[in-house]
Amino acid sequence: MGTSQLFTMSAQSKGEKPHDLNCLTIKELEKHAELRMDKQTRDYYNEGADSGSTLLENSTAYGKYRIRPRVLRDISLIDTSVSVFGKKNVVPIGVAPTAMQCLAHPDGELATARACKEAEVAMGMSSFSTSTLEDVAKAIGDHSHVLQLYLFEEREHSKKLIKRAKKADYKAVFLTVDTPMLGRRNLEIRNQFKLPKPYKIANFVADSDSAASETAMEGASSSAPNAAENEQKNSASTQGYHDGKQRRGPTGPVTVHTHAPNPTLCWERDIGWLKEQCAPEMEVWVKGIATAEDAHLAVHHRVDGIVVSNHGGRQLNGALATLDALPEIVEAAKGKIPVHIDGGIRHGTDVFKALALGADFVWVGRPVLWGLAYKGQEGVELCLRLLSDEFKLCMGLAGTVKVNDITKDYLVKIDKSGFISRL
Ligand SMILES: Cc1cc2nc3c(=O)[nH]c(=O)nc-3n(C[C@H](O)[C@H](O)[C@H](O)COP(=O)(O)O)c2cc1C
Ligand SMILES: CCCCC(=O)C(=O)O
């Protein structure tokens, strides 16, 4: 009997799920997903803006740190759990909001929600999902779910969405603030990305006032009387945002390319307004903070929390990797509001390092999409299990038994010449 089989049986005998011997790491999950996704989806999910250097650095930044493990500490009882949005989360890991999950698997966001419920992990739901926010809320039950929001220039759409989110028991709104314009994603442009039939940007189909709005999503039904016209509008506006020639006010049907980027967003007008709309049921967080200055402003405008994010390297290429931006943001906000982080997290040790540098919680984007493409709900569960198991192992081998024990004392920074510095 091979060692891997033995390992599998030992996991099973403890009542844990058996290993998937074809997929033991997030890297392997990425490879499996690559084979299962069509080119348009693979390019849309995996690419970063411009040369993709920020996308790459989000992951490689973790390699600048090494762990200082402590020993002889009785780590037989490790508690990886934390509390987020008033609920227990079994690990300090959540599923970041990513758009259009039906591209990866027909069950899309519903499969992700069921996996999050099973794994007891919080889910971020994109406004631009291919399932409605109500259906996702039903699928996740009373486990934590938050709604990512693109605040549209057309406030009415956003108002309705917020109302629906409250009713569906979303715990918070994550306002995405790093998309005043759409980042330049060259593969998306070259592929002339469109959501294929029969999928729809589900939240705005239910919300639409007319058949025109319903059919004008990417992948519009050709049976609509004005489908051809809308199709044309869609690709024209996509082009307009990508080449930066002009900004049209986003009137008409809600599409990703016309409505998500909002160049008018600002602290003074929009945060107060959003807090009013969300109170008292839902918290307001800002997702896409990259500097101490903006962390101070977030505290000043009394948001409930921050997600340090560069949108997975899909917006401003050349921006700092999120892990590199984290320390100054933690210094500005720690103890005042919670600081979460996303971008490039591919190992349990990455989660440990982000927490050691002061993050309270991490969110994971692409690996979940890869899990979805690999095996739907089961694949997302596998993704979450790999990261959770690795994180628990890291905690134990580093000599920590509680998430709160993880501090910068457990890390050193190592530069390119091998010089090691304590933090
Ligand atoms: C395919 C894709 C779609 C995304 N869609 C959204 C979205 O709708 N709203 C949002 O705020 N962020 C979106 N993001 C950004 C993620 O929430 C998150 O910031 C990022 O994926 C984290 O980096 P990671 O993929 O390296 O984990 C998207 C990311 C990807 C890869
Ligand atoms: C305007 C983009 C909407 C989806 C998204 O956030 C992404 O693809 O990164």
Side-chain angles (χ1 to χ4, degrees), residues 9-248:
M9 284 177 61
S10 74
Q12 258 173 312
S13 64
K14 281 185 276 167
E16 291 165 11
K17 290 218 166 150
H19 293 285
D20 177 342
L21 299 184
N22 294 314
C23 187
L24 293 170
T25 63
I26 298 296
K27 186 89 213 150
E28 288 181 354
L29 190 60
E30 180 177 6
K31 288 205 179 115
H32 286 300
E34 250 174 50
L35 299 173
R36 283 167 170 81
M37 293 187 285
D38 59 55
K39 179 171 164 45
Q40 173 181 262
T41 301
R42 194 169 53 236
D43 286 350
Y44 170 63
Y45 281 178
N46 288 351
E47 91 169 314
D50 299 307
S51 72
S53 59
T54 295
L55 167 70
L56 179 68
E57 286 169 10
N58 272 350
S59 298
T60 55
Y62 285 90
K64 295 181 198 169
Y65 294 90
R66 297 289 185 276
I67 296 166
R68 304 179 64 245
R70 301 296 310 276
V71 296
L72 291 171
R73 285 186 148 185
D74 186 357
I75 52 87
S76 53
L77 290 174
I78 299 173
D79 180 4
T80 60
S81 69
V82 290
S83 169
V84 270
F85 309 109
K87 294 267 173 201
K88 179 181 161 185
N89 216 76
V90 293
V91 275
I93 302 172
V95 168
T98 54
M100 297 179 268
Q101 297 187 358
C102 282
L103 289 170
H105 188 277
D107 296 341
E109 294 83 5
L110 297 179
T112 304
R114 290 177 193 128
C116 286
K117 181 187 168 111
E118 188 65 29
E120 290 179 76
V121 157
M123 174 173 176
M125 161 78 170
S126 168
S127 287
F128 282 94
S129 50
T130 36
S131 315
T132 64
L133 64 86
E134 288 84 1
D135 286 346
V136 167
K138 259 185 233 148
I140 201 165
D142 74 346
H143 202 66
S144 284
H145 46 293
V146 303
L147 179 73
Q148 175 275 331
L149 187 76
Y150 284 114
L151 188 51
F152 299 158
E153 284 181 72
E154 274 179 336
R155 287 293 171 91
E156 281 313 304
H157 284 304
S158 301
K159 259 182 157 172
K160 285 186 201 162
L161 204 68
I162 292 165
K163 240 174 147 174
R164 286 168 55 193
K166 272 188 188 175
K167 209 167 154 199
D169 204 25
Y170 281 76
K171 306 294 174 217
V173 155
F174 277 20
L175 176 67
T176 298
V177 294
D178 54 16
T179 51
M181 297 168 83
L182 190 66
R184 189 176 174 90
R185 303 161 188 183
N186 289 318
L187 299 178
E188 198 180 308
I189 296 170
R190 187 161 294 129
N191 294 337
Q192 301 189 302
F193 177 85
K194 266 201 184 133
L195 184 61
K197 291 175 196 174
Y199 301 121
K200 298 224 162 81
I201 302 298
N203 285 325
F204 304 104
V205 171
D207 192 37
S208 59
D209 298 320
S210 65
S213 333
E214 182 168 334
T215 52
M217 306 302 159
E218 284 93 334
S221 150
S222 56
S223 63
N226 55 355
E229 187 193 320
N230 282 326
E231 192 82 8
Q232 220 176 15
K233 259 200 253 171
N234 277 345
S235 47
S237 51
T238 302
Q239 201 57 41
Y241 271 106
H242 279 305
D243 65 17
K245 271 187 202 135
Q246 61 176 339
R247 187 183 74 75
R248 268 185 285 278

